[in-house]
Amino acid sequence: MTDTIPPGGTECPKCGENTHIITLGGAHGTVVSACCEAVIPEMNDELPVLIYDGKLICPYGDCGAADEIVELDVATRENALSISDDGKISAHLGDSTFESDGFECSQCRRPVSMPDGYEITHA
């Protein structure tokens, strides 16, 4: 994580404070405010996904793929190991936690964001 101070500062979109920005590690190095960790749109080049006729559409004009938007995540798992009767080591899928790392179009592989007002529900 690297702290930077832009010339003239940057206003946090969440609280309005004029403060430092932070570049997060993630797949796309999302730039967020130091105070609230709110995404600073003008410092990120991810276009929001388009929604048309019930489909998620890639916002890049030279792609425009429908229903090809995927969430990237990082998983931490704890899998118990055991030795079976035939001497093989087996990993039993156990508890896992996932953390979203961003979104991209699986056709053109460019990063995208979700449009304002939409919430992701994991099923």
Side-chain angles (χ1 to χ4, degrees):
M1 195 158 62
T2 58
D3 289 338
T4 58
I5 304 171
T10 297
E11 187 176 299
C12 173
K14 193 169 188 179
C15 71
E17 185 177 321
N18 195 2
T19 185
H20 301 263
I21 57 171
I22 297 175
T23 303
L24 293 181
H28 304 297
T30 306
V31 179
V32 299
S33 62
C35 51
C36 302
E37 291 192 5
V39 174
I40 302 173
E42 62 272 13
M43 301 199 78
N44 293 284
D45 57 356
E46 298 173 358
L47 296 176
V49 169
L50 304 173
I51 298 176
Y52 180 73
D53 200 21
K55 296 181 181 181
L56 299 173
I57 309 293
C58 177
Y60 296 97
D62 60 345
C63 180
D67 284 339
E68 294 291 331
I69 305 302
V70 296
E71 179 182 26
L72 306 173
D73 63 32
V74 177
T76 302
R77 300 177 194 204
E78 187 174 300
N79 301 324
L81 300 177
S82 65
I83 297 180
S84 62
D85 292 336
D86 60 0
K88 294 181 181 177
I89 297 176
S90 298
H92 305 278
L93 298 180
D95 294 332
S96 57
T97 57
F98 297 89
E99 184 177 319
S100 184
D101 205 20
F103 305 93
E104 77 177 16
C105 173
S106 63
Q107 283 293 93
C108 68
R109 295 291 183 208
R110 286 182 276 191
V112 297
S113 63
M114 289 297 107
D116 288 340
Y118 283 87
E119 185 177 322
I120 304 297
T121 303
H122 294 91

